[in-house]
Amino acid sequence: MASFKNSVLLILLTMAIIIVADAAKKGRVKASEEEKKELKRQLKAINKPAIKSFKTENGEIFDCIDIHKQLAFDHPLLKNHSVQMKPTNAPEWITSNNISQKVGLFQFLQKGISCPHGTVIVKRTTIQDLIQSQRLKSIGFNSPRHVLTEGNNIDLTGHHFATADYGYSRIYGVKGNINLWDVHVSNDQVSIATMAIAEGPIEHLASISVGWMVNPLLYQDHIHLYTYWTADGYTKTGCYDIKCPGFVQVSKRIPLGVLLQPVSVYGGIQKEMDLSLHQDHATGDWWFVFGGENVGYWPKSLFIGSGLVKGAHLASWGGQVYSPVKEKSPVMGSGHFPEEGFGKAAFVNGIQIIDGSGEALIPQIYTIKTHESTPMCYTTKYVHDDDEPWIRAIYYGGPGGCIG
């Protein structure tokens, strides 16, 4: 009965959002008092009661939620799910050379923001967030895509890629250190640095992607940590961060959707974040780890009937951008081509995978292929072996300016 009520609430919420979004134009949108009242009522189904709350300097609100009462458990497949506080197995990643600086766990949130034991930290969803998310769909960007979807029935109009892809053998985890750049895009554009895994035929494509995103309609400002998942080729399942039931948060220090800072400086200090995804061999859950901190996981049950139940067959690292039709595409990465090299071009280093035995491996050179959907605007350079300073890495990106 509870799951039925939640489904009804979400349907009513969607209807209310659409009513407001139909009148939306670029920028922030104002709702009538009646619409606000309805949206606030429906937001109670999304924003769980907070034990403690914080408001940041840029106006974002973070709530400390009882770990057992988070939104994830509104999903009908997770009705009787027991929270896994940590994975039963943790990969021992291979240490590699590093000449850039990693962003620490405590650099995201301002001092004084700390959640008590037994809670998790989540970014509060607002009425404006919901209106803007609907606006994002109306301009044609429903979600991050994957190069796997090219040549299939999924609309990739406005999407551009520059990635390195691994599909040589089945994998159970991926890792990469993603370079941080706070680029400027217009209100209707999106620029992403991503690491993703995927499995299954296109109609049942299951995929998880993590990284950073500059997306004014979704995050309002600057560069934010993002996640996205789907179990049916971006059709009905999945969402960003915790905007729908599914992802089980366990960290009380790293909220999804958080503003990332500090970032890289062109010709100066380079900043990166250490991300990994791996499947727990005992439970089948897919864990998201940031800088050694277990942020949370996508339970195996979300993917039963599609892929990712027993590993993945494709991994990808690199960049993606989106721009509406007839509008020039935005910058990707740092906005500079890979040929400019370290300190100027965006990169992902420390590329690794987990094989069937659970061991971390540095992929063989021939198993990684670069992909450039629009090479006149964005390219990829694969760095390996004797190419200093990393064993396996890519430079990617470009200034944009393409249409279509």
Side-chain angles (χ1 to χ4, degrees):
M1 180 63 71
S3 62
F4 174 76
K5 288 182 179 179
N6 286 329
S7 297
V8 173
L9 286 174
L10 290 173
I11 291 172
L12 291 174
L13 174 60
T14 301
M15 292 174 65
I17 295 170
I18 292 173
I19 291 173
V20 178
D22 283 340
K25 294 182 179 180
K26 292 183 178 181
R28 296 186 65 82
V29 181
K30 291 185 178 181
S32 68
E33 290 304 315
E34 183 178 347
E35 290 163 343
K36 285 182 179 180
K37 184 177 180 180
E38 176 63 14
L39 288 173
K40 286 179 180 179
R41 186 174 74 85
Q42 304 304 331
L43 280 176
K44 290 182 180 180
I46 297 176
N47 293 321
K48 301 305 179 183
I51 295 174
K52 196 174 181 180
S53 298
F54 307 91
K55 188 172 184 178
T56 66
E57 295 172 351
N58 64 340
E60 293 178 318
I61 299 176
F62 292 92
D63 294 324
C64 301
I65 306 295
D66 185 324
I67 191 171
H68 300 289
K69 296 180 180 179
Q70 58 183 295
L71 180 62
F73 304 120
D74 284 358
H75 198 295
L77 294 175
L78 303 181
K79 184 177 180 180
N80 299 313
H81 183 79
S82 297
V83 178
Q84 307 297 310
M85 295 305 298
K86 62 180 182 179
T88 59
N89 62 287
E92 293 186 9
W93 298 105
I94 300 169
T95 302
S96 58
N97 294 332
N98 193 20
I99 60 173
S100 53
Q101 297 181 2
K102 292 185 179 181
V103 173
L105 299 176
F106 299 104
Q107 292 179 283
F108 302 139
L109 301 176
Q110 60 199 49
K111 292 182 179 180
I113 296 182
S114 176
C115 284
H117 180 71
T119 68
V120 293
I121 186 167
V122 298
K123 184 180 177 182
R124 185 183 300 180
T125 300
T126 67
I127 292 175
Q128 194 65 35
D129 289 336
L130 298 173
I131 296 172
Q132 296 289 61
S133 291
Q134 198 62 34
R135 165 66 181 165
L136 193 61
K137 292 182 180 180
S138 74
I139 65 171
F141 186 85
N142 293 327
S143 65
R145 299 306 195 190
H146 198 284
V147 294
L148 180 68
T149 59
E150 286 197 329
N152 293 283
N153 295 324
I154 293 180
D155 184 13
L156 293 178
T157 303
H159 293 264
H160 304 271
F161 305 91
T163 63
D165 308 304
Y166 176 94
Y168 189 74
S169 62
R170 185 157 294 277
I171 58 174
Y172 296 84
V174 292
K175 184 181 184 299
N177 302 319
I178 301 179
N179 193 206
L180 302 177
W181 293 91
D182 191 8
V183 297
H184 174 75
V185 303
S186 72
N187 197 63
D188 287 349
Q189 295 179 329
V190 182
S191 188
I192 307 170
T194 186
M195 179 176 71
I197 54 171
E199 173 62 38
I202 202 63
E203 64 273 14
H204 298 297
L205 175 71
S207 179
I208 298 172
S209 61
V210 299
W212 60 254
M213 181 182 294
V214 177
N215 185 336
L217 287 177
L218 185 63
Y219 295 118
Q220 283 77 59
D221 62 348
H222 304 293
I223 173 177
H224 287 251
L225 175 69
Y226 95 93
T227 67
Y228 191 91
W229 70 276
T230 181
D232 61 358
Y234 313 102
T235 304
K236 295 180 180 179
T237 64
C239 63
Y240 293 100
D241 305 334
I242 54 166
K243 294 188 180 299
C244 70
F247 181 79
V248 179
Q249 176 92 8
V250 299
S251 175
K252 61 179 184 178
R253 300 192 297 176
I254 303 179
L256 300 185
V258 68
L259 178 69
L260 296 170
Q261 53 188 352
V263 297
S264 300
V265 176
Y266 182 79
I269 295 175
Q270 298 299 292
K271 297 290 185 177
E272 64 182 46
M273 57 181 178
D274 177 1
L275 304 182
S276 68
L277 294 168
H278 77 273
Q279 187 170 35
D280 188 318
H281 281 284
T283 64
D285 302 333
W286 281 93
W287 280 85
F288 173 41
V289 182
F290 186 117
E293 171 98 355
N294 293 320
V295 182
Y297 61 93
W298 291 269
K300 173 185 175 181
S301 56
L302 296 175
F303 304 106
I304 293 176
S306 62
L308 297 183
V309 174
K310 296 181 179 180
H313 81 276
L314 190 69
S316 182
W317 302 263
Q320 179 182 165
V321 297
Y322 173 81
S323 187
V325 178
K326 297 182 180 180
E327 186 175 337
K328 290 184 178 181
S329 62
V331 299
M332 178 191 292
S334 67
H336 296 263
F337 285 116
E339 287 69 25
E340 294 194 38
F342 184 79
K344 298 179 179 179
F347 60 80
V348 181
N349 70 60
I351 290 175
Q352 297 178 47
I353 60 169
I354 299 295
D355 66 5
S357 67
E359 296 294 323
L361 298 175
I362 296 175
Q364 294 293 325
I365 296 174
Y366 62 88
T367 62
I368 293 181
K369 308 297 182 183
T370 59
H371 179 94
E372 302 167 345
S373 62
T374 324
M376 68 285 294
C377 290
Y378 316 101
T379 59
T380 312
K381 180 182 179 182
Y382 180 29
V383 178
H384 52 79
D385 284 352
D386 295 331
D387 296 327
E388 293 294 342
W390 305 296
I391 299 176
R392 298 286 186 278
I394 65 165
Y395 288 106
Y396 71 94
C402 289
I403 297 178

